[in-house]
Amino acid sequence: MLDKNGIAKRIAQELQDGWYVNLGIGIPTLIANHVPEGIHVEFQSENGILGMGPFPYEGEEDADLINAGKQTVTLKPGACLFDSATSFAMIRGRHIQLTVLGAMEVADNGDIANWKIPGKMVKGMGGAMDLVASAENIIVAMMHTNRAGQSKLLSECTLPLTGVNCVKKVVTNLAVMDITEDGFVLRERAPGVSVDQVKMATEGRLVVPDEVPEMQLD
């Protein structure tokens, strides 16, 4: 079973040289720490950064340099800073090849809910709705179940939707799954996780091929 860094490390294997990539808050931000050798990508943050680097070491943080999740970050050589209008012009203009988001729920048709639990305070909607409407490829990074042990991979989302039919792949602490017209297709198991464990933790339609390899993270 993977921890949050393991999920980020597995998703980092999906990065392709030359891509522009937006990382949502939470697990996705950890991906910047695991970019494979020989791959050059530009990380964009919707609050106005292009060229975001890994998290700073303790004691080297700059409180004025933060990502969209209000976490201190670093910049790579050549990085640039700009206003939100320019940032969302990049997103809405479809210049971002990959968006990685966290989620509260994902449905087996690609719907995603990641911005609001009714009755709880929400400080803002963020930019996820623009990202899911504009990105060519959307991967969700999340835990397979919630704190109550209930599946977050459903036949239908119960929370307010962020986007419809937009998620292409889900990477959790248990598995890697593509989303197709037939539902979640199990592509890889996390180390030490069985197919039956994935089945038990998945409420939505799940297609299990004859061979489901274990993830290779190193």
Side-chain angles (χ1 to χ4, degrees):
M1 189 178 300
L2 301 179
D3 59 12
K4 293 180 179 179
N5 269 294
I7 294 171
K9 191 172 185 179
R10 174 58 188 85
I11 293 176
Q13 296 176 4
E14 302 291 322
L15 300 175
Q16 295 187 19
D17 196 43
W19 271 5
Y20 292 86
V21 179
N22 183 288
L23 302 178
I25 63 175
I27 297 173
T29 59
L30 300 173
I31 294 171
N33 296 330
H34 299 286
V35 179
E37 190 173 347
I39 297 293
H40 179 84
V41 297
E42 296 290 352
F43 289 117
Q44 192 247 20
S45 183
E46 66 214 46
N47 60 324
I49 303 174
L50 186 64
M52 191 168 54
F55 286 122
Y57 291 110
E58 186 175 355
E60 298 180 0
E61 302 94 339
D62 180 347
D64 291 327
L65 189 57
I66 59 173
N67 63 16
K70 312 297 185 291
Q71 299 167 304
T72 54
V73 296
T74 62
L75 298 180
K76 295 193 299 185
C80 55
L81 307 176
F82 37 83
D83 60 19
S84 293
T86 303
S87 180
F88 280 90
M90 293 178 186
I91 294 168
R92 294 169 185 169
R94 297 179 181 273
H95 302 294
I96 304 298
Q97 278 78 45
L98 172 64
T99 292
V100 185
L101 296 169
M104 300 168 188
E105 296 176 344
V106 176
D108 59 24
N109 67 345
D111 291 355
I112 177 174
N114 81 339
W115 72 282
K116 181 179 182 181
I117 296 177
K120 293 194 175 183
M121 185 180 71
V122 178
K123 294 182 179 179
M125 295 172 65
M129 291 182 181
D130 287 90
L131 287 161
V132 298
S134 305
E136 297 175 8
N137 188 9
I138 298 170
I139 298 176
V140 165
M142 67 178 188
M143 307 307 282
H144 211 102
T145 57
N146 61 24
R147 292 178 181 176
Q150 299 167 327
S151 180
K152 297 168 70 175
L153 286 84
L154 308 172
S155 56
E156 185 176 353
C157 292
T158 63
L159 297 173
L161 293 181
T162 309
V164 176
N165 301 126
C166 54
V167 178
K168 307 296 185 187
K169 185 184 294 288
V170 181
V171 180
T172 74
N173 53 321
L174 300 184
V176 176
M177 286 155 290
D178 289 330
I179 295 181
T180 71
E181 292 181 352
D182 297 320
F184 301 111
V185 178
L186 181 57
R187 297 301 187 194
E188 299 176 20
R189 299 173 288 112
V193 172
S194 69
V195 169
D196 284 342
Q197 284 179 282
V198 179
K199 286 181 178 178
M200 290 178 63
T202 305
E203 182 184 308
R205 294 173 296 158
L206 179 66
V207 178
V208 181
D210 292 338
E211 297 291 333
V212 183
E214 191 169 283
M215 295 180 201
Q216 300 297 315
L217 295 176
D218 296 318

